[in-house]
Amino acid sequence: GQNAIGPELYEQMGAIRARETMAAAEIQGSEPHFLGLKDFGFSKSADEAFKFWGHDEALRRMVLEIRKLRPDVIITNHSATSNDHGHHQATARLELEAFDAAADPTRFPEQLKDGVDVWQVQRLFVRARGNAQAQANAAPVVTIDPNERDPIRGVVYAEEALRALQKHATQGPWPKTFAEFAARFRAFSGQSAAPGQLPLTRYLLVREAKGVEALPKDSHNILDGLRLPDTTAKQLAPPTIDGKPLTEFIDQRGRVLDALMDVKKTRQASSAAQRNDSPRVGRMISLIDQALGLAASLTVSLTPADSILARGSTNKFLVTISNKGALSPWVIATHSDAGDSSVERFVEIVDKKPYQIEPGKIDTLKFTYHLSDDEPITVPHSAHLYDGRLFTRLATMSVYLKINDVGFSLNATTWVDVAPAVDITNISPSPAMKTPPDRKAKLQGTMDCILRDFDYRVSLTNHQDAAFAGQLIVGPGFGRRAAYHPVTIAAHDKVDLTVSVPGCPQAASPKTVSEDKGEPISFTVVGNGATKPLSRLEVPIVFADARVAPNLRIGYVRGFDYSLPNALTALGVESKELSVDEVKTADLQKYTSIIVDNRVYESQPELIAANQKLLDYAKDGGTLIVFYHKSNEWNPDERRKRPQLAPYKLILGDERITDETAPITLIEPQHPLLNFPNKMGQEDFANWIQERGLYYPKDWDPQY
């Protein structure tokens, strides 16, 4: 989809959105898991999604997650039959198939090892949309009220949902207030609700396991009627005080702590066996341990000395145990785990014999962690979206404590990235865009070459504890000999270099530059005396048949990122970025054109007050170009003090064309805009897999 806050698309945006999901999950208290299926732009059908994913492979991954997580209920917003996004339709179809396949030992039997077993989900719900009443007549329904108040946080659950939604910034902008959120949600859903409230949410029961008790009529709970075996239910019974849930005693921390210690003590003797026999019981024990830590005001954190660890290095970690409570717990032991990484185990743990942490005290344990020279790299994140290394949990530290002979464990986990010892952290421009003035020319009648030298800005970062001395080797694109640039970087420091790559090689050799793209330029870092490179990146060379009118001088108001100035630079156009204050005060007539970048009226709303200056510039003969804006960022809005921004009435709608084969009709093919300096035709829209168009005008002045 689109990116509301930056230039990243495709895999780069996928990595960002995965982290946005993790940030939202922290607010919700949920645990995100990623199947790593390929993203490829907007999808119109499930069949198109499966063409890229592979149906059986996608099903295999979903079945494995179900068998590992062992859910009783699956809830999805996606329908296999609705006119929804193709990825959503495919996901819904997979969930229906996985409901049965996860319980079938003949499906993906290779998964049934290392504690993974078949699993029968009890119920599968799909969110009801549109005419929910008609859908409800065909299937049992659960109704949820999002306006219910959370007794702990003191807000309605829908407000927490908005807080989580706001973490998905690339899909924004989201409402800033709950009132705005409720109004937008009501308009989107087409359902009625009281002012300041959200409509009820309905979930249809579309699949259930054999022998499961029927869902009660008019249910408000997805678990209604589900029963656990008596022995398991007893082990999982939540602690209470006088028969009431602990949430009613939040302001009585001491009583809550005593209740948790009592239940921990009664279950402690058989906890090890329970943990092995039942993942449910093991999880409940872990939750009680977390609650004990919170009630006792005890926290454990794990902090690496550096957020990025270098291959072949020894790294320092700190475990901090903080006691902000009134008791003096005993620290009995610590246990480390390398998690999902192949990194070597900790080679040194500085530990102590059992000791007490007094109230108000903080204790720190130190240990080191060594990485092998061939440890898998995790950066840049976009390069590891599909290989399982997007998130590398390197270390978990468990601290076992005791309060009055009641033992419990508190865990701390850290996420860090693994990079080359000396990393190429940025190369600009990438890709290098070349236009007709840079086009190939014959050199001594033997080969084609590029006329203009390329200047690249290269950033190198040394993640090691020691200084680095070596070479940045640039080449050999277009048949030239590689160039060696000496580099020295202090420990944990970075340097920025500008290297010039000749357009034509020093020694000609028979080689032809492609009409569409040249051989990429490689950048390699090697230490002095070493033969194995530490890091290497390639920058593609792309030719664009784009011609520029002479004597242009462009002023622009930049949007969320640097895509516009980078493009102007690649085209060789003289340009200057204008601040909003400069728009108000500068002589704009010295510019042949002024560009208002994508969504600037949203990112810099102060430009709205200066907009008349831009309209006056256009009225006096200047060319004013405004890039795309969403309808709710462009259309007149008294609440946001936004008048009509165009010189004449121009109201945008939200309709969009998503079929990449939809024909483009050029109404006036001979118009100068479509012919000078570049001729545009049907071929320029080939393979345009994002939206064909969106935010079209829906109401406009006849002068247009």
Side-chain angles (χ1 to χ4, degrees):
Q2 303 172 45
N3 186 344
I5 60 171
E8 298 87 359
L9 292 173
Y10 306 109
E11 278 72 20
Q12 286 183 322
M13 188 163 66
I16 294 173
R17 287 195 171 175
R19 280 168 167 75
E20 290 176 341
T21 296
M22 296 178 71
E26 287 189 19
I27 291 175
Q28 298 169 321
S30 60
E31 298 176 359
H33 297 259
F34 301 93
L35 296 186
L37 298 171
K38 184 173 178 57
D39 199 355
F40 53 89
F42 191 92
S43 173
K44 270 67 68 180
S45 70
D47 290 339
E48 183 183 40
F50 287 136
K51 183 176 73 172
F52 286 90
W53 293 352
H55 170 275
D56 290 351
E57 174 60 18
L59 180 61
R60 182 194 69 80
R61 297 186 191 193
M62 186 170 286
V63 166
L64 179 59
E65 283 301 315
I66 290 174
R67 287 172 170 174
K68 288 162 60 177
L69 295 172
R70 303 163 69 91
D72 293 304
V73 176
I74 291 177
I75 312 169
T76 177
N77 282 338
H78 306 319
S79 169
T81 57
S82 69
N83 186 23
D84 201 354
H85 189 307
H87 290 159
H88 298 173
Q89 295 177 43
T91 301
R93 279 170 52 176
L94 289 172
E95 288 165 338
L96 290 169
E97 293 182 60
F99 185 92
D100 297 319
D104 185 348
T106 66
R107 301 300 303 274
F108 310 108
E110 73 282 357
Q111 297 177 354
L112 306 179
K113 59 183 179 181
D114 301 327
V116 177
D117 203 350
V118 293
W119 182 254
Q120 179 61 69
V121 182
Q122 301 296 293
R123 290 172 177 164
L124 171 61
F125 290 93
V126 175
R127 185 170 181 174
R129 298 187 183 277
N131 189 348
Q133 187 57 51
Q135 294 173 314
N137 292 336
V141 64
V142 169
T143 303
I144 304 294
D145 183 3
N147 306 291
E148 182 181 339
R149 184 165 294 275
D150 182 339
I152 306 304
R153 298 178 179 91
V155 297
V156 299
Y157 287 110
E159 291 183 71
E160 288 298 292
L162 175 59
R163 284 187 59 217
L165 194 64
Q166 289 167 341
K167 295 296 183 182
H168 296 276
T170 58
Q171 299 186 67
W174 300 109
K176 295 180 173 60
T177 66
F178 180 68
E180 183 186 352
F181 177 51
R184 185 190 296 189
F185 195 95
R186 289 197 304 273
F188 175 77
S189 66
Q191 301 178 46
S192 60
Q197 290 195 335
L198 271 68
L200 299 177
T201 304
R202 294 177 174 85
Y203 291 97
L204 305 178
L205 178 63
V206 298
R207 194 68 62 89
E208 60 183 338
K210 294 180 180 179
V212 173
E213 186 172 334
L215 182 72
K217 188 176 177 58
D218 300 325
S219 174
H220 301 285
N221 189 332
I222 60 171
L223 300 177
D224 271 354
L226 295 185
R227 297 288 181 267
L228 292 170
D230 289 342
T231 54
T232 304
K234 185 176 181 181
Q235 292 172 327
L236 294 175
T240 60
I241 297 176
D242 299 332
K244 299 178 181 179
L246 300 188
T247 52
E248 296 188 17
F249 300 89
I250 288 298
D251 57 343
Q252 302 178 45
R253 184 180 294 266
R255 294 189 68 185
V256 171
L257 179 59
D258 289 342
L260 289 167
M261 290 175 62
D262 286 342
V263 72
K264 180 71 177 181
K265 189 182 300 183
T266 58
R267 303 179 187 183
Q268 192 163 264
S270 59
S271 63
Q274 292 169 352
R275 188 183 302 270
N276 292 330
D277 292 344
S278 170
R280 294 182 192 272
V281 176
R283 182 170 178 80
M284 174 59 85
I285 291 170
S286 176
L287 291 172
I288 290 175
D289 284 359
Q290 291 180 48
L292 267 169
L294 291 168
S297 296
L298 293 167
T299 58
V300 175
S301 62
L302 181 62
T303 307
D306 297 291
S307 60
I308 296 182
L309 308 185
R311 273 180 165 178
S313 65
T314 298
N315 303 274
K316 299 175 182 177
F317 283 74
L318 297 178
V319 177
T320 302
I321 308 171
S322 175
N323 181 9
K324 296 183 179 179
L327 303 176
S328 301
W330 287 85
V331 178
I332 306 300
T334 59
H335 170 69
S336 61
D337 183 6
D340 300 329
S341 174
S342 61
V343 176
E344 297 175 12
R345 291 293 196 263
F346 305 127
V347 296
E348 176 189 356
I349 296 181
V350 180
D351 210 341
K352 306 175 182 178
K353 293 181 179 180
Y355 65 98
Q356 284 183 288
I357 297 184
E358 301 297 329
K361 298 295 184 181
I362 296 176
D363 190 49
T364 301
L365 307 175
K366 302 177 182 178
F367 63 89
T368 57
Y369 197 73
H370 184 73
L371 274 71
S372 63
D373 290 330
D374 57 356
E375 176 65 23
I377 299 295
T378 67
V379 292
H381 299 140
S382 58
H384 301 286
L385 198 59
Y386 307 130
D387 64 6
R389 301 205 300 269
L390 181 59
F391 309 107
T392 302
R393 180 166 56 199
L394 282 176
T396 297
M397 180 61 73
S398 296
V399 179
Y400 185 68
L401 303 106
K402 273 191 175 182
I403 299 177
N404 298 339
D405 293 328
V406 175
F408 59 100
S409 294
L410 297 181
N411 300 326
T413 301
T414 187
W415 301 81
V416 293
D417 282 317
V418 178
V422 178
D423 195 14
I424 304 172
T425 49
N426 185 58
I427 299 178
S428 179
S430 179
M433 185 68 68
K434 299 305 158 190
T435 56
D438 307 319
R439 191 60 101 182
K440 60 185 181 178
K442 291 291 183 182
L443 178 67
Q444 298 175 356
T446 58
M447 75 163 287
D448 296 340
C449 66
I450 304 303
L451 293 176
R452 190 174 65 173
D453 291 354
F454 306 169
D455 287 335
Y456 291 93
R457 296 180 297 279
V458 184
S459 297
L460 303 177
T461 301
N462 181 12
H463 297 295
Q464 303 174 109
D465 291 331
F468 169 78
Q471 305 286 327
L472 173 65
I473 306 173
V474 183
F478 306 113
R480 70 180 62 80
R481 293 195 301 252
Y484 287 71
H485 302 269
V487 178
T488 302
I489 316 175
H492 298 286
D493 200 0
K494 65 177 292 187
V495 296
D496 296 314
L497 307 173
T498 298
V499 296
S500 183
V501 178
C504 291
Q506 297 174 357
S509 60
K511 191 171 182 67
T512 300
V513 177
S514 164
E515 286 292 324
D516 300 315
K517 62 182 180 179
E519 184 179 346
I521 303 292
S522 63
F523 295 79
T524 306
V525 178
V526 178
N528 288 337
T531 57
K532 186 177 180 180
L534 293 175
S535 57
R536 185 175 187 273
L537 285 179
E538 287 189 341
V539 174
I541 306 293
V542 179
F543 290 103
D545 191 18
R547 291 164 174 80
V548 178
N551 304 318
L552 293 181
R553 189 160 192 267
I554 307 297
Y556 63 88
V557 184
R558 184 172 58 82
F560 286 98
D561 58 70
Y562 288 88
S563 298
L564 174 59
N566 289 345
L568 291 171
T569 299
L571 290 168
V573 176
E574 180 185 356
S575 63
K576 181 183 186 303
E577 180 174 352
L578 302 174
S579 67
V580 174
D581 287 339
E582 287 175 308
V583 171
K584 294 177 180 178
T585 61
D587 176 15
L588 302 183
Q589 294 303 321
K590 62 185 178 182
Y591 299 104
T592 54
S593 300
I594 291 178
I595 301 175
V596 177
D597 201 355
N598 290 345
R599 306 180 60 222
V600 168
Y601 292 109
E602 174 69 20
S603 63
Q604 299 190 64
E606 58 272 19
L607 183 64
I608 294 173
N611 191 64
Q612 189 58 47
K613 184 79 180 293
L614 295 174
L615 296 181
D616 291 342
Y617 160 81
K619 186 176 182 181
D620 292 338
T623 299
L624 175 63
I625 302 172
V626 179
F627 284 1
Y628 95 81
H629 283 66
K630 297 184 177 183
S631 55
N632 62 352
E633 302 165 350
W634 172 267
N635 294 339
D637 188 338
E638 292 183 1
R639 295 170 302 174
R640 301 192 65 178
K641 299 180 180 180
R642 185 170 60 228
Q644 176 67 54
L645 296 172
Y648 308 106
K649 181 180 180 181
L650 188 68
I651 306 300
L652 303 183
D654 290 315
E655 297 79 7
R656 62 184 64 196
I657 302 298
T658 61
D659 181 358
E660 66 259 30
T661 65
I664 303 294
T665 302
L666 304 178
I667 299 174
E668 296 186 47
Q670 301 308 315
H671 194 285
L673 281 176
L674 300 178
N675 290 275
F676 176 82
N678 298 280
K679 185 174 181 60
M680 294 185 66
Q682 287 283 347
E683 64 278 4
D684 293 298
F685 296 91
N687 301 315
W688 188 297
I689 66 169
Q690 289 289 104
E691 289 93 348
R692 276 303 214 193
L694 66 168
Y695 310 127
Y696 294 102
K698 68 176 182 179
D699 191 8
W700 58 88
D701 189 283
Q703 298 214 50
Y704 289 111

